[in-house]
Amino acid sequence: MVLYLLISAAAVAAAAIVNKTEGMRAGSRGSLLRRSCLFLIALILMVPAILRQETGNDYLRYVEFFHLASIDAYVPTEAGFNWLAKAVYGLCGYENYLLLFAIYAVMTILAMLTVIRQQAENFCFSFFLFMMFGYYFQSFNTMRYYFALSLSLLAMTCLLRRQYAGFVILVLLASLFHKTALITLLLYPVAARRWKKRELAAGVALGLAVLLLHERAMELLLSLYPSWEGTVDLAAGTSISWVNIAKCLAALLLAYYVKADEDPDTFRGRQLVMYRNSAYIGLLLYVFGWFIPEVSRICYYLTFTQIFYLPMLLSGLPETEQGRRQKKLLTILVLAAALVFFALFLRTAYRDTIKILPYKSFLFHDLNRTPSASVGGSY
């Protein structure tokens, strides 16, 4: 746990320097310092992710998936994942799973940092929320999902910039690693448009209908996603995520209070529309779709934007004496809530369903057991 606290503190401190040097002319010392700090942030995040071994509840399962994909055996993963595993193992001449984990770590972190640079109005604030909401550490699990998530968020930037071809291409690329990314072809365009009040009410009505007919809804979902059938997640059932509901509600209440200018002719205005609607759709999914296995995997495509939305809303408060007091108070509340969330997240990180603590590295630990005999053992 101490290591994760140090990683977070060091990376956020570097992000604060990035903020202070924003706007300095190219070639100046400040510009050089900003680029150096961005490189340092990437390095701080990459090193633990690259060096990890058996950190994450599905680490051994991915070792098995790499092995099966490399020998063209059946594996319930997407084509892009399988091709990459086969290519790396073929080039190395042996089952170099450590290199594959490293490749995913580097690609995911670079994509995430690029998204934050592209969409964050306040880089340090958004990066702080990115760390405190646990997105970086959660990427130690279901790594192909987090890589697909990062590509989908890059696609969102394209959509906000009205680069529609880039949006579609990036989503399709993401779907080669996790098929849930395809849902953003529907969700992002829907979230990007301004909704009328009757459409907001229709969303609630649709949610109630889905909840009342949840058994039939599950039958439909299982026909679309048959790999859920017979899984531990489906057998264990799901429960309402009160924390995520609270996060969505808090974002929407702050938006209602601030009433930011959502001018569709500006990039910032389109961001505000997208982020508000994303929070609303996420809330509907968490409230009415709680029975869906791992519903957060769908919601994260939407609710990740809260790390951009909250700082933007706070910056939109009027520059009056009262506005500055409100901004200071609300900023403190957001920071405190993020710290509490991070503390609660770390408390659960030892659970078998998460297992990102204790942290293990191949520098100091051997892989004692693996699913594939070809890499040194068996279950």
Side-chain angles (χ1 to χ4, degrees), residues 20-90:
K20 289 182 179 180
T21 54
E22 289 286 10
M24 294 188 177
R25 62 181 178 83
S28 66
R29 290 183 178 179
S31 177
L32 177 61
L33 180 60
R34 181 174 65 255
R35 290 197 299 271
S36 299
C37 285
L38 287 170
F39 175 78
L40 180 61
I41 292 170
L43 193 64
I44 291 170
L45 299 185
M46 285 179 188
V47 170
I50 290 171
L51 297 182
R52 74 185 178 100
Q53 181 165 263
E54 268 193 281
T55 301
N57 70 328
D58 55 5
Y59 189 96
L60 293 174
R61 185 171 59 174
Y62 271 111
V63 175
E64 171 75 353
F65 287 167
F66 292 151
H67 166 69
L68 294 174
S70 69
I71 61 174
D72 292 323
Y74 170 76
V75 64
T77 46
E78 291 75 11
F81 176 92
N82 301 341
W83 293 336
L84 183 58
K86 190 172 182 178
V88 170
Y89 279 14

Side-chain angles (χ1 to χ4, degrees), residues 248-308:
C248 292
L249 273 175
L252 291 170
L253 288 172
L254 184 59
Y256 178 79
Y257 180 74
V258 173
K259 292 182 172 63
D261 181 19
E262 298 177 348
D263 183 0
D265 294 326
T266 66
F267 181 75
R268 187 179 193 274
R270 292 193 293 274
Q271 282 181 288
L272 289 167
V273 172
M274 170 72 82
Y275 301 160
R276 174 174 53 80
N277 290 338
S278 293
Y280 182 70
I281 298 171
L283 178 63
L284 293 180
L285 285 169
Y286 278 122
V287 172
F288 300 115
W290 57 266
F291 58 88
I292 300 172
E294 300 186 39
V295 67
S296 287
R297 288 195 184 184
I298 300 171
C299 292
Y300 278 6
Y301 288 112
L302 300 162
T303 59
F304 186 97
T305 59
Q306 291 173 7
I307 72 170
F308 311 126

Side-chain angles (χ1 to χ4, degrees), residues 3 11 30 38 42 84 98 136 185 201 217 226 240 244 255 269 286 293 297 323 334 374:
L3 175 63
L38 287 170
L84 183 58
L98 292 175
Y136 164 68
L185 289 173
I240 297 176
N244 284 308
Y286 278 122
R297 288 195 184 184
V334 170
S374 60

Side-chain angles (χ1 to χ4, degrees), residues 169-211:
I169 290 170
L170 281 169
V171 171
L172 293 178
L173 179 61
S175 71
L176 291 175
F177 293 88
H178 208 282
K179 67 183 74 172
T180 57
L182 289 172
I183 200 169
T184 61
L185 289 173
L186 171 65
L187 291 180
Y188 285 175
V190 169
R193 60 185 297 274
R194 297 173 69 90
W195 291 11
K196 296 178 181 178
K197 290 182 179 179
R198 63 173 178 269
E199 293 173 317
L200 296 173
V204 175
L206 178 61
L208 284 169
V210 169
L211 185 60

Side-chain angles (χ1 to χ4, degrees), residues 63-284:
V63 175
E64 171 75 353
F65 287 167
F66 292 151
H67 166 69
L68 294 174
S70 69
I71 61 174
D72 292 323
Y74 170 76
V75 64
T77 46
E78 291 75 11
F81 176 92
N82 301 341
W83 293 336
L84 183 58
K86 190 172 182 178
V88 170
Y89 279 14
L91 289 171
C92 291
Y94 68 100
E95 299 197 0
N96 192 349
Y97 62 89
L98 292 175
L99 178 59
L100 265 172
F101 279 111
I103 290 172
Y104 276 101
V106 170
M107 293 192 302
T108 302
I109 289 167
L110 287 178
M112 287 290 190
L113 289 178
T114 300
V115 169
I116 297 173
R117 285 295 287 169
Q118 289 175 336
Q119 297 193 36
E121 191 172 77
N122 183 323
F123 178 79
C124 182
F125 200 164
S126 292
F127 182 77
F128 171 80
L129 295 177
F130 167 73
M131 296 299 293
M132 295 301 100
F133 287 171
Y135 292 120
Y136 164 68
F137 296 109
Q138 287 185 73
S139 69
F140 289 0
N141 283 326
T142 56
M143 62 180 188
R144 79 184 202 282
Y145 166 75
Y146 277 93
F147 179 53
L149 173 63
S150 67
L151 291 178
S152 299
L153 293 166
L154 286 173
M156 178 188 285
T157 303
C158 291
L159 182 62
L160 290 169
R161 291 175 175 171
R162 296 175 174 172
Q163 299 168 344
Y164 302 117
F167 165 66
V168 174
I169 290 170
L170 281 169
V171 171
L172 293 178
L173 179 61
S175 71
L176 291 175
F177 293 88
H178 208 282
K179 67 183 74 172
T180 57
L182 289 172
I183 200 169
T184 61
L185 289 173
L186 171 65
L187 291 180
Y188 285 175
V190 169
R193 60 185 297 274
R194 297 173 69 90
W195 291 11
K196 296 178 181 178
K197 290 182 179 179
R198 63 173 178 269
E199 293 173 317
L200 296 173
V204 175
L206 178 61
L208 284 169
V210 169
L211 185 60
L212 291 172
L213 301 173
H214 68 274
E215 291 182 358
R216 292 189 178 181
M218 274 305 305
E219 291 176 4
L220 176 61
L221 288 170
L222 288 173
S223 68
L224 296 173
Y225 209 94
S227 60
W228 276 344
E229 192 73 58
T231 62
V232 174
D233 296 322
L234 186 63
T238 55
S239 59
I240 297 176
S241 178
W242 296 108
V243 172
N244 284 308
I245 289 173
K247 285 170 64 180
C248 292
L249 273 175
L252 291 170
L253 288 172
L254 184 59
Y256 178 79
Y257 180 74
V258 173
K259 292 182 172 63
D261 181 19
E262 298 177 348
D263 183 0
D265 294 326
T266 66
F267 181 75
R268 187 179 193 274
R270 292 193 293 274
Q271 282 181 288
L272 289 167
V273 172
M274 170 72 82
Y275 301 160
R276 174 174 53 80
N277 290 338
S278 293
Y280 182 70
I281 298 171
L283 178 63
L284 293 180

